[in-house]
Amino acid sequence: MSISKRTLSAFIFKGLVILSSLSFALYLAADDSLKIGIMQDKRGMAEHFAPLIKYFDTKGVKVQLIGFNSYRNAAEKFRDGKIDAMFAGSGVAGTMILKGLAYPLVRPVSVGGWSTYWAVVLVPKSNNDFKMTPKYWSSKKIICSALASSGEFFCRAFLGKNTKLLIAGNHGNAISALAKGVADIAVVKNRVWDAVKARYPDLKKVAEDHGKNPNNTLIVSSKIDKNLADKVKKILLSLKNDNSPEAESLKKALKITGYIVTTKHDFSHTIPLIKHAGVDKNYDFGD
Amino acid sequence: MFFKHISIKFMIAVSVSVLVLMFSFSTFFIYDLKNIQEHQRDDFIKQLRSIRQEEETTFSNLIKAKGKVLVKTFATNQYENMKNYDYDAVEEMASNVQKNHLIASLNVKDPEGHVIFKGKENRKYDFRVPIEKEGDMAGYVEVALNLKPLKKRALKAANKINMLTLNSVKETELAVHRIIVITVICAGVGTLLICGIIYLIFFLTITRPLNSLRDAAEAIANGKLDSDIPVCSGNEICQLAQSLNHMLNSLRNEKLLKEEVERRKKIEKELVIAKENAEKYAQDALDAAKVKSDFLANMSHEIRTPMNGVIGMAELLSETDLSEEQVDYVKVICESGDSLLGIINDILDFSKIESGHMELEQIQVSLQDLIESVFDIFKRKASEKGIELIHYLEEDVPRYVKGDPGRIRQILVNLVSNAIKFTKKGEIFLSVRKNNENNGVAELLFSVKDTGIGIRHDQKEKLFKAFSQANVSTTRKYGGTGLGLAISQRLVHLMQGKIWFESEEGIGTEFLFTLKLPAIDLPVDGTIYSEQTENLRNKKVLIVDDNATNRKILSIQCRKWDMIPTAFSKAEDGLNALRKSEFDVGLLDMDLPEMDGVELAREIRKFVKKDKLPLMLISSVQKPTNVEFPGELFSFYIPKPVKQAHLFSALQRIFASHAESEKATNPRKIHRRDKIPELSRQYPLELLLAEDNPINIKLVDKIFSKMGYDFDVAKNGQEAVDMATAKNYDIIFMDCQMPEKSGYDATRELREKGVKSVIIAMTANALEEEEKKCRNAGMDDYLAKPVHISDLSAKITQWAEKPSSR
Ligand SMILES: Nc1ncnc2c1ncn2[C@@H]1O[C@H](COP(=O)(O)OP(=O)(O)O)[C@@H](O)[C@H]1O
Ligand SMILES: [Mg+2]
């Protein structure tokens, strides 16, 4: 019995301290929190994300929704590490990539089996002399969706970056405005047109883009923790083969079958397009 | 039987025609009534319709307002959606709005007119609301309102109104029916009445004359001739009556002749009686007039005699040593007495004028003296109130005219007394101007202008009426009877003049009157003054007076005498002028602002001696003390109102040589009051007083002793005659009403006996005739009671100076 009572108690105390600090570190490591940015004034976004948040929760990742009020604001938040990730159309995603603020991670595959889209050009059926030339377009009123590679960016790439355009809130709005005669030409996302064209018997598609853009890509901040990024990627990629109720309800809600890996290569059409439209490192989303 | 038969037939015919007439009249009336009623009904319905329409518009306006609010809210909310081309959102909300029951249909269009939302109905829109924010237009909304429920409501109301209308129309119809029934009844009653009247006429024109013809024929047959058969003209019955009358006439003529002779005799008798009556009435009227004028005379005598005692004694009392309180009392007695006397005089005058008894004198009058004497009466009062009395006769006004000085004076006194009464401060300016002259008759314009309270325009009419004053409060504040102006007006009219006034409230009043007076062509002023103006020629006069009118008049007078006046309103300016240039004489007003006349003189004396620059003080103080008029500073004292003669003589004294000046001036005129006690020394006279009233004797005694006179007293007319024949009196003061022998009789007797003494009547009877009566009796002058000390001394002076009458 060479060890005194006192030495023993000191040993036990030291052990306890080490144990508790270890468990705290473990707890910290387990508590991975993902801050997803969403456009504040878009209605129904919280409900839209509810199943996704729940799914992440089951996988041990806490999701926090961070609002931004403009894409410029979003870019700042990416830069400052206040947003980790964001689901974005190819135009915004491409711009963030071009600005070096984010990189792509995954994108959803729709129940229809597609994960890309492209621009289509619509005119009223009564229009018989449409020409896909800048001269013809210059005398027309053109409507398109803001910051979309199948909308505003397409048009600016085609006609020049300072062209006067009617900017609609979304592709649907652009189509209905065309139908009502507010504009002569609409440039919209083919997926939207395909979904609603039955409602617009008086419109017709007269042209479309030749390249494809990745749809609704999850981009992550360049400042995100690599581990967290990998974990998120892993979780989303596993969704396809996950049959848990949470997974099923998520797929149903978002009308997707799962996610696929997405890299800069997937933007090989998009990025040159937006560069043509005038987007560079200093682009500020037109605000 | 036969006559009755005719009248019945006639009656039936008449009744039928009246009935037909009445019937057609009522039918017409009823038809008319119906027409009117229908018209009224239509009008009523029209009015109700317009009310309904109004109701509808009000409703629709309300709905429109509500709809507008709704659509405006909608439009404001659509701005963002329109901007983003979010037409789905726009459509959704528009269709929601369209569900509102107020909105029938609603279109949303973009600024270029593209239809964004098409309403459910294709209707003309009621109004348009822009979709805009801060002036940026993103489209507009066209709205058609839903007025159907409103229409339903209106319809309901209309039904209700229709019901009401129907009811009221029914009621009116009922009323009309009632009227128709009444009309028919009235027509029936009317027919009966008219038939009755026609029958009456028939009876009167045919049945009755025939009856009376029958009676007359019977009477003639019985020998009665006096009643005539009533005759008419036209029908056969009348002709019958005429021929009967012819026969009757010849029977009657004889009888008539007899009667006519008797009637004429009777009238003659009546005429004689009437003539006697008329003569008696005329005499009565004459008597009554005489009684009235006697009554007036007596009344005035009865009042004046005791007043004489009261006023005279009070005046004497005031000259004795009295405490201050007593002096006040006496003053009140004097003033009250005077005003009472004034009122009596006024009433007397007025009734005299009204009864046409006023007779006007035609004697020589000096206007200058007249006006100065008027101002003399008021100078004390004016100086007490601090009012300037100023008068001015224009150059071309004749100095002497022919007229009644007493009456002109009376008018002026009335006007000036009013002016003083109603003026608190300022001036009273009496001026005379000549309007024109025709055949030696000058039309003179007199003006009395004050700076008093003025007269309101609306009171203009009544002021000249007897006993009327501007307003009730005037009596309370200023007293008076309201007779002054009435008398003045009548006097002016008697003298062929006009009187009127101009006034501005709070600024002043100017009373003006014209008189036509024959001018007496004496070479007056010119000669009096021209002899001595040599002395005054080119003398420089310094005038200092704050009153502009005074300055003007003093300057004019000086210029008239060829002097060179320079006038200043302020003492300071006068002093400065004196320092700069030389003057020969100074006229200083006492009442100057800042520095008064005496102070100014003291300043002047600091650098100019008395013999270098004589000064005159003009002041309203009547008996100046040494303080008020320091002799070492001034050479002369001129009391206000300034009389031309005073000024002239004073100037004369200064500039003329000693011998001349003594002659030219009349010191009595300047200080007359002071001379009164020495009157007896100046004019030692033998005086007799014939008077029965002991109070009056005492009064006159006091006055005479003040003047230093002894005198004899006769208690009645007889005594007077005895004494005056025994002793040679210079003046006899003769009361007219005395026991035993009246003043008139006594005078007559004395004159018959060749007594040459001056006899002055003393009477309380103020009537004109009285004076005439006195003169006719042989008296020389006339003194109205109550006797004043000043009157008496004036008379004594006047007669003492008249050597011819002694
Ligand atoms: N100079 C005046 N200034 C103002 N009011 C005057 C003047 N003269 C006369 N009146 C008005 O006219 C009224 C009638 O004057 P008058 O006939 O002399 O009667 P009385 O003087 O007895 O009142 C006065 O009461 C006064 O109201
Ligand atoms: Mg008067």
Side-chain angles (χ1 to χ4, degrees):
Chain A
M1 300 306 259
S2 58
I3 301 164
S4 66
K5 260 187 183 174
R6 200 176 165 162
T7 337
L8 187 69
S9 59
F11 181 79
I12 290 169
F13 180 73
K14 276 179 189 167
L16 272 174
V17 168
I18 291 166
L19 258 176
S20 58
S21 54
L22 254 177
S23 63
F24 184 68
L26 273 173
Y27 170 77
L28 276 183
D31 186 39
D32 288 328
S33 165
L34 180 67
K35 286 167 279 182
I36 296 181
I38 56 165
M39 190 73 159
Q40 256 169 0
D41 59 353
K42 278 215 170 142
R43 280 167 291 164
M45 283 315 257
E47 293 99 280
H48 182 78
F49 279 101
L52 187 68
I53 292 168
K54 217 175 189 180
Y55 186 67
F56 269 118
D57 205 27
T58 59
K59 301 289 176 185
V61 174
K62 290 243 156 23
V63 172
Q64 219 181 322
L65 296 182
I66 305 288
F68 54 82
N69 50 25
S70 69
Y71 284 107
R72 186 182 347 185
N73 187 222
E76 280 164 12
K77 283 189 161 143
F78 264 127
R79 189 173 49 231
D80 301 343
K82 285 186 179 148
I83 294 176
D84 295 325
M86 178 172 95
F87 285 99
S90 63
V92 173
T95 306
M96 293 296 184
I97 294 165
L98 203 60
K99 286 166 85 71
L101 296 171
Y103 59 91
L105 209 59
V106 294
R107 69 177 188 277
V109 178
S110 76
V111 284
W114 50 264
S115 65
T116 57
Y117 67 94
W118 55 90
V120 292
V121 181
L122 307 177
V123 293
K125 270 207 177 129
S126 55
N127 183 339
N128 291 321
D129 62 348
F130 174 82
K131 287 189 194 79
M132 193 63 196
T133 61
K135 193 179 170 223
Y136 178 84
W137 285 47
S138 66
S139 64
K140 302 289 180 222
K141 277 189 271 176
I142 302 147
I143 190 157
C144 50
S145 178
L147 303 178
S149 32
S150 60
E152 185 181 354
F153 288 144
F154 177 87
C155 293
R156 294 203 189 285
F158 180 50
L159 299 166
K161 58 177 176 180
N162 293 322
T163 311
K164 196 169 172 280
L165 300 167
L166 308 183
I167 300 300
N170 56 46
H171 298 290
N173 290 354
I175 296 169
S176 86
L178 177 69
K180 292 189 192 300
V182 173
D184 304 310
I185 298 170
V187 175
V188 298
K189 185 175 179 178
N190 66 329
R191 305 296 174 199
V192 176
W193 167 241
D194 290 341
V196 301
K197 64 179 163 197
R199 271 162 52 198
Y200 296 101
D202 293 334
L203 301 183
K204 62 181 177 188
K205 182 172 84 181
V206 285
E208 56 192 310
D209 195 5
H210 53 82
K212 294 171 181 176
N213 307 302
N215 185 41
N216 202 23
T217 308
L218 179 70
I219 53 170
V220 291
S221 165
S222 311
K223 299 216 165 128
I224 195 174
D225 178 34
K226 271 267 178 271
N227 292 330
L228 179 60
D230 284 345
K231 194 169 180 184
V232 167
K233 190 173 174 181
K234 225 168 152 191
I235 290 167
L236 290 178
L237 288 177
S238 70
L239 178 72
K240 192 182 176 190
N241 297 319
D242 192 343
N243 294 322
S244 65
E246 290 84 9
E248 287 303 324
S249 71
L250 173 61
K251 287 190 238 180
K252 206 177 159 200
L254 300 184
K255 291 180 192 147
I256 56 172
T257 57
Y259 286 89
I260 53 170
V261 175
T262 305
T263 66
K264 241 181 164 178
H265 295 297
D266 293 295
F267 286 86
S268 57
H269 173 69
T270 312
I271 288 183
L273 178 85
I274 62 174
K275 273 188 179 167
H276 264 105
V279 177
D280 56 16
K281 258 184 153 13
N282 299 318
Y283 183 72
D284 64 353
F285 299 95
D287 291 333
Chain B
M1 253 342 245
F2 174 71
F3 293 129
K4 269 181 194 162
H5 200 62
I6 285 180
S7 50
I8 284 167
K9 259 187 183 172
F10 184 76
M11 272 275 291
I12 289 167
V14 165
S15 306
V16 169
S17 48
V18 166
L19 251 171
V20 169
L21 251 167
M22 275 299 192
F23 180 73
S24 46
F25 168 73
S26 3
T27 321
F28 178 74
F29 174 69
I30 288 163
Y31 173 76
D32 213 41
L33 202 68
K34 271 261 181 198
N35 244 357
I36 289 171
Q37 183 231 334
E38 261 155 36
H39 263 292
Q40 268 179 354
R41 193 184 55 200
D42 289 353
D43 275 0
F44 187 43
I45 288 171
K46 243 187 237 159
Q47 268 177 21
L48 284 174
R49 262 198 208 127
S50 82
I51 289 169
R52 204 171 81 194
Q53 223 142 40
E54 255 171 50
E55 185 86 338
E56 259 186 61
T57 27
T58 322
F59 262 110
S60 76
N61 282 345
L62 205 76
I63 301 245
K64 264 185 201 156
K66 268 182 156 183
K68 253 191 194 151
V69 172
L70 188 75
V71 174
K72 269 203 181 132
T73 321
F74 165 74
T76 331
N77 289 333
Q78 294 320 303
Y79 177 77
E80 286 299 332
N81 287 339
M82 287 299 284
K83 267 288 167 201
N84 288 330
Y85 304 96
D86 194 351
Y87 295 145
D88 292 342
V90 174
E91 279 180 13
E92 190 188 327
M93 289 178 84
S95 59
N96 271 340
V97 170
Q98 204 176 227
K99 279 179 198 147
N100 191 301
H101 71 282
L102 291 177
I103 310 284
S105 182
L106 167 141
N107 295 333
V108 182
K109 291 184 178 170
D110 82 342
E112 280 147 44
H114 298 113
V115 179
I116 306 305
F117 176 82
K118 181 127 186 61
K120 60 186 174 205
E121 278 178 46
N122 203 0
R123 265 176 46 178
K124 214 181 136 244
Y125 59 88
D126 292 314
F127 57 87
R128 243 179 186 215
V129 178
I131 301 173
E132 61 181 354
K133 192 171 173 184
E134 288 152 12
D136 179 33
M137 169 121 144
Y140 49 87
V141 186
E142 294 172 349
V143 185
L145 288 172
N146 189 7
L147 298 174
K148 263 184 210 146
L150 165 80
K151 287 253 165 69
K152 256 187 217 158
R153 246 167 114 162
L155 216 70
K156 250 193 213 163
N159 284 342
K160 224 180 195 172
I161 288 166
N162 278 346
M163 284 263 290
L164 284 176
T165 318
L166 232 69
N167 283 347
S168 77
V169 165
K170 263 184 204 155
E171 265 170 34
T172 332
E173 263 165 11
L174 223 77
V176 168
H177 286 152
R178 239 175 267 148
I179 292 173
I180 291 171
V181 170
I182 290 169
T183 314
V184 168
I185 293 172
C186 287
V189 173
T191 312
L192 277 176
L193 259 171
I194 291 173
C195 287
I197 290 167
I198 289 171
Y199 177 73
L200 204 71
I201 293 168
F202 186 81
F203 170 79
L204 287 177
T205 52
I206 298 173
T207 316
R208 213 173 56 169
L210 279 176
N211 281 341
S212 65
L213 258 183
R214 188 195 58 204
D215 292 347
E218 266 169 25
I220 293 167
N222 291 340
K224 282 185 194 152
L225 297 179
D226 42 339
S227 61
D228 225 350
I229 297 162
V231 175
C232 46
S233 65
N235 62 28
E236 295 81 349
I237 301 170
C238 297
Q239 281 167 7
L240 185 62
Q242 263 167 4
S243 32
L244 270 175
N245 260 348
H246 263 297
M247 183 186 86
L248 199 58
N249 263 352
S250 38
L251 288 172
R252 223 186 298 167
N253 267 351
E254 205 181 329
K255 201 173 166 194
L256 272 180
L257 216 67
K258 242 192 230 165
E259 278 170 6
E260 177 63 18
V261 169
E262 255 164 49
R263 197 175 63 86
R264 288 212 176 155
K265 267 186 192 158
K266 201 176 151 205
I267 287 172
E268 217 166 284
K269 229 187 234 168
E270 276 170 4
L271 265 175
V272 169
I273 293 168
K275 191 185 157 207
E276 273 166 11
N277 276 346
E279 271 166 3
K280 194 169 153 255
Y281 290 146
Q283 191 53 49
D284 281 357
L286 282 177
D287 288 352
K290 193 165 167 5
V291 165
K292 189 186 162 197
S293 101
D294 283 352
F295 168 74
L296 280 176
N298 284 338
M299 186 189 76
S300 102
H301 174 79
E302 293 306 329
I303 298 172
R304 271 158 193 277
T305 307
M307 281 307 295
N308 192 20
V310 174
I311 295 171
M313 283 303 170
E315 231 172 55
L316 287 173
L317 191 61
S318 72
E319 310 254 326
T320 60
D321 278 343
L322 295 175
S323 74
E324 231 170 82
E325 207 180 359
Q326 286 166 329
V327 168
D328 272 352
Y329 294 161
V330 173
K331 212 169 120 197
V332 172
I333 295 173
C334 285
E335 282 170 3
S336 310
D338 277 341
S339 68
L340 180 55
L341 216 60
I343 292 169
I344 293 167
N345 283 340
D346 278 353
I347 294 176
L348 208 64
D349 276 342
F350 187 73
S351 54
K352 222 177 340 178
I353 299 169
E354 289 294 86
S355 64
H357 271 81
M358 181 67 83
E359 274 168 29
L360 295 175
E361 257 185 336
Q362 284 287 326
I363 57 171
Q364 181 177 319
V365 186
S366 156
L367 289 173
Q368 182 81 32
D369 289 352
L370 188 76
I371 287 165
E372 283 176 359
S373 78
V374 170
F375 271 8
D376 273 343
I377 299 173
F378 297 106
K379 61 188 177 192
R380 213 170 85 216
K381 187 112 190 237
S383 88
E384 274 167 20
K385 290 183 90 169
I387 302 169
E388 300 271 359
L389 293 178
I390 308 161
H391 69 266
Y392 180 61
L393 273 84
E394 276 186 17
E395 201 75 1
D396 57 350
V397 172
R399 297 293 128 166
Y400 288 95
V401 291
K402 222 178 201 168
D404 188 330
R407 296 309 169 194
I408 300 173
R409 201 176 121 102
Q410 196 175 358
I411 299 166
L412 288 173
V413 165
N414 274 336
L415 299 185
V416 173
S417 94
N418 280 348
I420 288 191
K421 193 153 73 167
F422 297 109
T423 303
K424 263 213 197 90
K425 60 168 195 279
E427 61 182 48
I428 285 151
F429 182 42
L430 199 168
S431 65
V432 188
R433 214 168 72 196
K434 189 169 85 178
N435 273 351
N436 55 53
E437 192 168 342
N438 263 336
N439 300 330
V441 178
E443 189 186 75
L444 300 181
L445 176 69
F446 292 75
S447 149
V448 178
K449 187 170 179 181
D450 65 42
T451 52
I453 59 169
I455 298 169
R456 278 228 314 273
H457 199 75
D458 54 335
Q459 287 153 347
K460 210 167 176 168
E461 293 305 317
K462 65 179 196 192
L463 284 194
F464 288 112
K465 290 201 183 118
F467 303 106
S468 76
Q469 294 177 317
N471 54 45
V472 190
S473 65
T474 309
T475 326
R476 234 179 297 130
K477 198 163 163 195
Y478 300 103
T481 54
L483 269 175
L485 287 179
I487 291 172
S488 302
Q489 188 197 40
R490 280 150 181 85
L491 287 175
V492 169
H493 287 172
L494 275 180
M495 290 184 250
Q496 269 87 45
K498 279 184 296 187
I499 182 165
W500 71 97
F501 66 87
E502 279 149 25
S503 179
E504 206 170 319
E505 242 194 310
I507 294 200
T509 310
E510 179 176 15
F511 272 90
L512 299 124
F513 64 94
T514 60
L515 294 179
K516 281 199 179 124
L517 300 169
I520 296 178
D521 212 3
L522 290 178
V524 246
D525 272 6
T527 46
I528 286 179
Y529 297 119
S530 68
E531 285 164 17
Q532 288 103 5
T533 47
E534 276 306 313
N535 305 323
L536 308 182
R537 177 158 298 150
N538 293 337
K539 293 280 193 274
K540 287 189 186 152
V541 191
L542 172 82
I543 299 167
V544 184
D545 194 325
D546 60 321
N547 183 297
T549 319
N550 263 341
R551 279 201 306 275
K552 193 169 129 201
I553 291 173
L554 286 174
S555 301
I556 291 175
Q557 277 175 341
C558 290
R559 247 180 244 124
K560 212 162 66 182
W561 301 322
D562 296 330
M563 303 175 89
I564 304 164
T566 318
F568 298 96
S569 61
K570 279 194 210 141
E572 199 58 46
D573 297 344
L575 266 177
N576 286 340
L578 264 180
R579 285 196 184 104
K580 277 188 208 126
S581 50
E582 277 188 11
F583 285 89
D584 297 309
V585 64
L587 288 178
L588 310 184
D589 182 35
M590 178 65 195
D591 307 313
L592 293 171
E594 288 161 30
M595 189 191 286
D596 70 22
V598 174
E599 282 166 348
L600 173 59
R602 214 156 266 144
E603 283 300 310
I604 292 173
R605 285 288 170 255
K606 281 182 187 162
F607 60 96
V608 195
K609 288 227 183 77
K610 196 173 171 183
D611 51 348
K612 264 276 183 95
L613 177 74
L615 293 176
M616 298 190 199
L617 183 69
I618 304 174
S619 165
S620 54
V621 179
Q622 295 306 322
K623 283 184 197 166
T625 62
N626 208 39
V627 181
E628 288 158 335
F629 178 58
E632 70 276 15
L633 297 174
F634 294 98
S635 308
F636 275 97
Y637 175 81
I638 312 246
K640 275 189 187 175
V642 178
K643 297 181 181 172
Q644 212 172 324
H646 285 191
L647 186 63
F648 185 72
S649 60
L651 287 168
Q652 275 296 336
R653 271 210 192 183
I654 287 171
F655 294 114
S657 66
H658 271 286
E660 276 176 311
S661 72
E662 217 59 67
K663 211 169 75 186
T665 52
N666 188 348
R668 178 178 59 85
K669 272 204 164 177
I670 301 172
H671 296 297
R672 187 200 279 164
R673 268 179 173 272
D674 304 348
K675 295 283 175 186
I676 288 173
E678 293 127 52
L679 210 59
S680 62
R681 231 173 300 150
Q682 199 172 350
Y683 308 111
L685 299 169
E686 288 291 338
L687 304 175
L688 173 68
L689 173 68
E691 169 67 83
D692 60 323
N693 186 318
I695 295 176
N696 276 344
I697 296 172
K698 198 165 165 194
L699 173 65
V700 175
D701 173 46
K702 296 277 179 182
I703 295 174
F704 279 162
S705 60
K706 284 234 164 226
M707 299 173 178
Y709 285 114
D710 283 331
F711 66 104
D712 298 330
V713 178
K715 291 258 167 55
N716 57 51
Q718 193 50 54
E719 250 184 70
V721 172
D722 296 343
M723 289 170 79
T725 39
K727 189 173 167 185
N728 201 0
Y729 290 101
D730 294 306
I731 302 174
I732 302 170
F733 291 95
M734 183 81 77
D735 184 22
C736 292
Q737 271 90 20
M738 277 186 298
E740 283 176 49
K741 195 166 267 171
S742 75
Y744 316 113
D745 293 339
T747 307
R748 249 185 296 263
E749 219 178 302
L750 283 172
R751 290 292 185 233
E752 272 164 21
K753 289 185 174 162
V755 175
K756 289 236 164 61
S757 311
V758 172
I759 302 180
I760 298 176
M762 288 209 302
T763 175
N765 191 335
L767 291 180
E768 213 94 313
E769 303 124 52
E770 183 65 23
E771 200 181 329
K772 216 182 257 169
K773 214 163 150 193
C774 296
R775 290 195 194 279
N776 284 342
M779 301 197 207
D780 298 291
D781 205 346
Y782 171 93
L783 200 58
K785 283 181 184 175
V787 175
H788 288 272
I789 201 164
S790 51
D791 297 339
L792 210 53
S793 68
K795 288 286 179 214
I796 290 175
T797 316
Q798 180 189 336
W799 286 102
E801 281 185 344
K802 225 177 214 171
S804 60
S805 63
R806 244 190 284 168

